[in-house]
Amino acid sequence: MFDKINKLLSAEIPENEYPRQEKKFWKFWLVMFFMNLSIVVIVAKLFFVQVIDRDKYIKISKKQHESMIELPAHRGIIYDRNKKILATNINSISIAVDPVLIEKKQELINIISEGLNYNRSSIEKKVNDKSRRFTWLARGVLPHKIEGVFSLKDRGLILVEEPKRYYPYGEAGAQVIGFTNIDNAGIGGIELQFDDQLKGNDGYVIMRKDGHQNLHETPELPRIEPEDGNSVELTLDIDLQRIVQFELEKGIEWSEAAGGTVIAVEVKTGEILAIASYPFFDPNRRETIKSVNTRLRALTDEYAPGSTFKIVTASAAFEEDIIEEDDSLYGYNGQMVFNWGTIRDVHPLGPTNFREATWQSSNIVYANLANEIEDRKFFSYVRNFGFGNKLDIDLPGEIPGKLKKPENFNNSSKRYMGHGYDFTATALQVVSAYATIANGGELMQPHILRKIINEEEVLEERKPTRIRRVISNKTADRISELFVGVVDSGSGKRAKIEELKIVGKTGTSQKIGPNGRYSKSDYIASFCGYYPANEPEIAMIVIIDRPRKSIYGGVNAAPVFKRITESWVQASGIGDNEIEIASVDSLILPDFTGIKLKRAKEIASDLDLELQTNYDNGIVFYQKPDPGQKVKRDSKVMLTLMGVDEDFKPGKLDLRGMPLRNALNMLHTYGIRTEVVGKGKISKQYWKKDSKGMICKLVCS
């Protein structure tokens, strides 16, 4: 049997037998080829994933399982010269949604549209737009406005706590301080100029996502803490700034003008104490801000300074010994005609002297005086006073103005320049020229920054910087003596204050139109001056743009200068207005009402008076004995104070019987706007409220 089987196995198989077995063998190899090819592709793909593109896929994995949460840094604080906070940070809530996951849509829409007065249809559109997984609905919202959102438990709701910039004084100083955008980046003013110092460095934390997309912080994942920004201290005095803005707005309303500008400078240091341009804006209300209102027009707008420039012409003439105060001159009876044009005076003069011509602001006399100075010398004086160049103040937007070079002068150039035409300047340049004379002839670098600080140390301190000497101290004294008469007896009489000697000059100039030509209908009214005349401390310029009631600087700008000065002197006790120390055992009791306790103590110390108060800090509301009474030295004076830090309630502030300027100072301290009827002491007062806050109407008799 086995032999048969062996024969069968060893027998040859015909070629045409079993043809299907050969085809199956071919398919086997084909399958093996594709299997091996697949293995090669998989290995190659793994090589690319794990070696070549390793970092790419690690990032994708982290994105799915980890999330980086930004930890925003707090911007540095902005202070005024007395460490009052001008810009700070408050906590706010920003609301976002994941439209795919959000469930309580209507509740959320109601809270935002009603609590924040947002457009309902716009919010609905964002909430229902599932093409995006993250959508902001509101940014930088104060928590009390959206209390209902915190009780919503919805995995599609995203609440982010963010620092928000807050400006405690609102409109006061806003153009200097600037503001920030929704992402807390500086826009304009100090916020922009020192953004690198203020913004700090943001931090972050990496958090792990669970299966429900909830975030959890774990120790093994990195966390970088934010570095808060540095703070800055300015030369600005916010109390003076508020007075400036209040009086500027009131003056513009009276003049029916389009706008205005004020700058106040400390003459010995070049420090800017106040700077404002009307219209103002509130940096806390970003949605209402118009870019045109954010400009610091004192730096960005040029104009023909007109007669305020005559102080420079007089300085050059004195320095060159061309003129004396009593020199006889001729005023051409108010009109001088040349082949190149006509110069006119508002107050016609015939035979006169230089002193009287200055007091009456004679354009003709100053045109002829400037023409007597050699071209290059005159140009040199004008340039050295700071015209035609930037003064490099540490604020954005300054322009140099336009000033012809001597080689471009013609027969009329110096004559027109002598009384403030045929060139352009900024308000900063004009007030700096006055500050130079007030400082004995030395031009100081104008600046707004005092210090850059952090919590531990002063990082940078800006010292007063002398640029150059322009005129001699003797010439500066002569100018002060001459231009005091402009305020006492001449065109600037509306700036006169009995207790305080002011050096100043009015200006009325045609406004330069868009075509570069002088307008026949629009004017700039201005007044620039400094005080006290004997020991100058403050230089200030007031500009009223396109007044309608009257075009003259003496009518529009000088009264504003006076009111600002009166309020500021009353608040700070500058110069001649300080209480004189009596030389006998008795004295007349000063009026302490409306001033700060610190200042009251200084005055009392000078007069050997003892003060008793109900608070350790505040504004003097009432005193006993009454002001004006004769008392002995070492007398006790009872002062009732209104605490500065307590909540202000209009009903508890009774101003009746108080002198008007004292009452105005007190109301300014609390940021209360006023309406005044009459002069003298307050006989009646009324309170009312509008969209901007409280208004106190004072009736005086």
Side-chain angles (χ1 to χ4, degrees), residues 286-518:
R286 292 193 190 102
E287 68 281 1
T288 66
I289 296 174
K290 297 178 181 178
S291 60
V292 68
N293 295 345
T294 65
R295 289 208 324 267
L296 271 171
R297 296 169 189 259
L299 315 180
T300 65
D301 291 13
E302 57 187 347
Y303 75 110
S307 292
T308 55
F309 185 76
K310 289 173 181 174
I311 202 168
V312 173
T313 304
S315 296
F318 280 165
E319 196 76 3
E320 293 297 315
D321 291 325
I322 290 174
I323 195 77
E324 296 290 336
E325 291 86 341
D326 295 318
D327 282 357
S328 296
L329 302 167
Y330 185 57
Y332 290 81
N333 295 314
Q335 180 169 303
M336 185 173 65
V337 181
F338 291 89
N339 56 3
W340 39 260
T342 302
I343 296 178
R344 296 181 176 86
D345 285 337
V346 175
H347 307 288
L349 296 174
T352 187
N353 59 39
F354 185 53
R355 179 179 284 103
E356 185 66 25
T358 298
W359 294 355
Q360 299 305 321
S361 193
S362 172
N363 295 333
I364 293 171
V365 167
Y366 271 83
N368 290 331
L369 180 62
N371 203 49
E372 292 184 34
I373 305 173
E374 193 272 327
D375 289 1
R376 292 195 175 278
K377 283 187 176 180
F378 186 67
F379 173 82
S380 178
Y381 280 111
V382 176
R383 177 60 68 88
N384 286 341
F385 266 109
F387 296 94
N389 276 328
K390 292 182 181 180
L391 292 167
D392 291 329
I393 188 172
D394 42 2
L395 282 168
E398 183 190 5
I399 63 170
K402 298 181 180 69
L403 180 64
K404 286 182 180 179
K405 292 185 177 180
E407 52 266 30
N408 297 323
F409 285 2
N410 55 36
N411 290 336
S412 65
S413 293
K414 286 188 296 181
R415 287 187 171 96
Y416 278 121
M417 289 173 67
H419 63 285
Y421 280 94
D422 207 26
F423 72 101
T424 62
T426 64
L428 176 65
Q429 290 171 335
V430 176
V431 77
S432 290
Y434 277 68
T436 298
I437 298 169
N439 193 39
E442 290 190 337
L443 174 64
M444 302 298 292
Q445 174 80 55
H447 63 282
I448 196 81
L449 177 71
R450 260 192 168 184
K451 299 174 184 176
I452 298 176
I453 55 179
N454 61 21
E455 294 181 354
E456 300 175 354
E457 60 182 334
V458 176
L459 303 176
E460 179 183 339
E461 186 169 2
R462 188 69 51 87
K463 299 289 186 180
T465 303
R466 175 186 177 276
I467 296 178
R468 58 180 162 266
R469 175 167 286 282
V470 183
I471 57 175
S472 67
N473 197 38
K474 178 182 177 182
T475 296
D477 289 342
R478 289 177 67 188
I479 290 292
S480 292
E481 184 180 348
L482 176 63
F483 280 81
V484 160
V486 175
V487 178
D488 286 347
S489 308
S491 60
K493 286 186 290 187
R494 287 181 174 86
K496 184 177 180 179
I497 300 173
E498 291 298 335
E499 305 89 353
L500 185 70
K501 289 293 183 182
I502 295 173
V503 177
K505 186 69 189 74
T506 57
T508 305
S509 60
Q510 293 169 277
K511 190 174 175 66
I512 301 171
N515 58 2
R517 297 180 178 178
Y518 294 110

Side-chain angles (χ1 to χ4, degrees), residues 545-570:
D545 182 15
R546 287 169 285 169
R548 294 307 179 203
K549 278 191 176 181
S550 168
I551 65 172
Y552 299 110
V555 176
N556 295 285
V560 176
F561 185 101
K562 176 181 179 178
R563 291 196 298 269
I564 292 172
T565 302
E566 282 181 325
S567 295
W568 180 234
V569 168
Q570 177 67 24

Side-chain angles (χ1 to χ4, degrees), residues 87-102:
T88 186
N89 307 289
I90 56 176
N91 289 328
S92 70
I93 299 296
S94 292
I95 307 171
V97 293
D98 181 340
V100 175
L101 298 178
I102 192 72

